[in-house]
Amino acid sequence: MERPAWAPQGIDLSVPSVSRMYDFYLGGSHNFEVDREAARKAMEFLPGLPKIMQANRAFMRRAVRYAVDSGIGQFLDIGSGIPTFGNVHEVAQAADPDAKVVYVDHDPVAVAHSQAVLDGDDRAVIAAADLRRPKEILEHPEITGLLDLDRPVALLLVAVLHFIEDADDPRGAVAELREALAPGSLIVLTHASYEGIPRSREEAAGTVGVYEDIRNPLIMRSREEIGEFFEGCTMVEPGLVAMPEWRPDTPQSPAQEDPYAFSGFAGVGRKA
């Protein structure tokens, strides 16, 4: 396979990437046939996966605008993936030109492409780090050089925690990050769940199996388990809900939304 210019040296082009599969679901071009093949296999069980990803991105944009409206101008987006239209820095800086954004990802493709997209923007950077090692994130020079953690920050954990197995202690990682943030900071997250998916659990488990096969287990947690990530925070209304139900831009009836958009949960919590 010929390596495109945007693909960093050293990555195995024969192994599917979660970031590139996500890019494919969103209609992006930074993916390979191996990623498309895995994504299409996952969609055999849940054909609405692209709609879930679109609802996820739409929630993220609303949450970023809410953060700016709340007076927060600093954003730490962990598990940011490959940049697509409507990224955090674009949304935040459209509302507040002085907004600062640090993206964090451990996927070399996501990091390399983010560096290209952000070139020339001195208020947005990408850091190569892993959520499972929060100290590495908090001490990363790209983060400490741009963000002032003594002031409120919006911590984005969008569609990333469901790729962290319990054995890697995702709750402990979130707690360590939260403790490092100033009072008034926001935690913004989405998470996959069997709850809300308009297919049987057995069908949804087929998609989970695809991610297991590519050695990126997709951990489906209950609403109660997802709520535990907000320990130490006060939930912003309307609480932990399906993605379209979190402060929609228009008073659209749920019946008008694609049923797949209601898969999983989204919420924003404010640190006291």
Side-chain angles (χ1 to χ4, degrees):
M1 179 189 299
E2 183 178 350
R3 183 182 300 272
W6 53 263
Q9 296 294 322
I11 65 168
D12 187 344
L13 304 189
S14 68
V15 177
S17 155
V18 167
S19 293
R20 297 194 305 265
M21 289 171 68
Y22 188 84
D23 178 70
F24 171 73
Y25 293 136
L26 290 173
S29 59
H30 290 85
N31 50 77
F32 305 126
E33 181 55 34
V34 67
D35 308 305
R36 296 188 285 273
E37 182 179 344
R40 285 192 288 262
K41 189 172 182 181
M43 289 169 61
E44 290 177 8
F45 301 99
L46 294 178
L49 278 170
K51 184 60 186 180
I52 296 174
M53 306 312 166
Q54 292 164 18
N56 187 77
R57 295 286 293 185
F59 160 77
M60 179 273 290
R61 291 191 289 267
R62 296 196 304 276
V64 168
R65 290 194 295 268
Y66 171 82
V68 173
D69 290 344
S70 300
I72 293 179
Q74 302 187 107
F75 297 83
L76 179 57
D77 183 3
I78 300 178
S80 51
I82 296 172
T84 57
F85 176 74
N87 294 298
V88 173
H89 73 283
E90 294 172 328
V91 178
Q93 292 175 356
D96 174 8
D98 293 327
K100 299 176 181 179
V101 179
V102 176
Y103 294 106
V104 177
D105 209 290
H106 71 280
D107 185 327
V109 173
V111 173
H113 191 52
S114 296
Q115 288 171 334
V117 168
L118 300 173
D119 186 39
D121 187 338
D122 61 1
R123 294 184 177 275
V125 297
I126 175 73
D130 194 318
L131 174 57
R132 290 168 292 190
R133 294 185 287 276
K135 184 178 179 181
E136 174 184 305
I137 294 174
L138 294 168
E139 296 179 352
H140 198 289
E142 295 285 11
I143 295 170
T144 58
L146 188 63
L147 303 184
D148 179 1
L149 298 185
D150 291 328
R151 295 172 50 242
V153 172
L155 170 63
L156 278 68
L157 300 167
V158 177
V160 63
L161 287 167
H162 48 234
F163 290 115
I164 308 296
E165 298 181 82
D166 288 340
D168 289 319
D169 192 18
R171 292 170 185 80
V174 174
E176 187 171 343
L177 290 166
R178 183 188 63 244
E179 288 306 306
L181 300 180
S185 293
L186 298 177
I187 293 181
V188 178
L189 70 80
T190 62
H191 198 296
S193 176
Y194 284 117
E195 298 173 44
I197 295 178
R199 287 290 180 99
S200 70
R201 187 183 180 103
E202 289 71 27
E203 288 172 306
T207 290
V208 172
V210 171
Y211 281 90
E212 289 178 349
D213 289 343
I214 65 171
R215 299 181 181 178
N216 278 281
L218 177 60
I219 312 302
M220 306 291 266
R221 296 187 172 98
S222 68
R223 184 178 185 276
E224 181 179 356
E225 290 172 326
I226 297 166
E228 292 173 2
F229 289 114
F230 290 102
E231 182 181 351
C233 295
T234 300
M235 294 301 294
V236 172
E237 290 293 334
L240 187 60
V241 296
M243 291 178 287
E245 295 175 343
W246 197 90
R247 297 178 177 251
D249 291 327
T250 59
Q252 186 172 358
S253 166
Q256 296 174 275
E257 284 277 4
D258 186 303
Y260 275 99
F262 294 85
S263 304
F265 294 96
V268 177
R270 179 177 287 107
K271 179 178 176 179

